[in-house]
Amino acid sequence: MTARRIIPCLDVRDGRVVKGVRFKDHVDMGDASELAARYRDQGADELVFYDITASPEGRTLDYDWVSDIARLLDIPFCVAGGIRSVDQAARCLDHGADKVSINSPALERPDLIGEMSDRFGAQCVVLGVDSKRAGDDWVVHQYTGDPTASRGAGRRTLDWIVEAQGLGAGEIVLNCMDEDGVRRGYDIAQLQATRACLTIPLVASGGAGAADHFRDVFQQADVSGALAASVFHSGVLAIPDLKRQLEGDGIEVRR
């Protein structure tokens, strides 16, 4: 296993980073460029930027904004938000993004995953999956950036991630909606079930509130990366301190 990745996530609306709880009640956390520079300097391994209203509003993200971020960063970053075609994904990569993430558009047209993988290589294609518990199972939701548009996608989470892997996705980011913003730890059971279905990298998202939560998800769910937002935006946890603690716990991280 390669070094585990620490990945701050920036949910962006009108150039500002926002954060909610369980995908609702978003509050302003600061300027996207300023936060990106802070995490770059602190030693983040990657950054992920979600234009959270792009898909619900039927538009794609701002390519000029992607260029601005690319000029600022010297670490890999991924962008997401209303990417519905190979050409739109290509423009994101041409403007400096290292990866593109698709979510609701892939649910609308799963072949998009394979088309992007064939054109750019699987390493550039990330599938975001917004997943919520339903009894003893988990189901996929879409358009989650807008609480008024969010709805079930009619798919079981584990079925969808297996299908996406087969279509050519290079990485899965599993957003566990029930834990989002709650800071009580990652959904280990769901991530373990997902990890068991995959041969491609899995990134955990939703629930980080302390350094121990990162340790647990790496040790117990064997994820490649851990994505978090509010715990970093609020200053509760600094990335250098987190990496030192993970190293002390015997987990390999990039320094």
Side-chain angles (χ1 to χ4, degrees), residues 70-249:
R71 284 192 289 269
L72 183 67
L73 296 179
D74 57 2
I75 58 173
F77 74 99
C78 178
V79 296
I83 300 168
R84 288 184 163 79
S85 72
V86 172
D87 287 344
Q88 289 175 340
R91 292 190 70 183
C92 291
L93 296 171
D94 288 344
H95 281 73
D98 299 279
K99 302 177 185 179
V100 290
S101 179
I102 52 176
N103 189 326
S104 296
L107 288 162
E108 297 166 3
R109 193 170 70 83
D111 286 346
L112 178 61
I113 299 170
E115 292 167 6
M116 289 172 54
S117 184
D118 290 343
R119 173 86 172 267
F120 313 119
Q123 75 281 354
C124 292
V125 183
V126 179
L127 181 75
V129 180
D130 296 332
S131 179
K132 199 168 187 178
R133 180 172 290 280
D136 294 329
D137 205 350
W138 301 280
V139 296
V140 181
H141 282 243
Q142 62 189 130
Y143 308 125
T144 54
D146 180 353
T148 65
S150 180
R151 58 181 173 82
R155 290 176 178 267
R156 294 180 64 246
T157 298
L158 299 184
D159 291 342
W160 176 227
I161 61 107
V162 169
E163 180 181 350
Q165 176 176 254
L167 288 168
E171 182 170 274
I172 302 291
V173 175
L174 185 67
N175 306 309
C176 300
M177 295 179 67
D178 298 299
E179 302 303 325
D180 178 72
V182 180
R183 299 192 196 177
R184 62 187 180 190
Y186 292 96
D187 187 339
I188 300 295
Q190 184 175 184
L191 288 159
Q192 287 174 331
T194 303
R195 177 71 272 166
C197 295
L198 294 174
T199 57
I200 60 177
L202 173 65
V203 175
S205 175
D212 289 351
H213 297 155
F214 289 85
R215 176 202 63 201
D216 292 346
V217 78
F218 287 133
Q219 291 182 339
Q220 298 177 34
D222 195 28
V223 298
S224 300
L227 184 151
S230 61
V231 70
F232 294 139
H233 301 338
S234 64
V236 168
L237 193 59
I239 293 171
D241 296 337
L242 170 61
K243 287 193 169 186
R244 279 191 290 271
Q245 180 163 335
L246 290 172
E247 279 190 318
D249 291 328

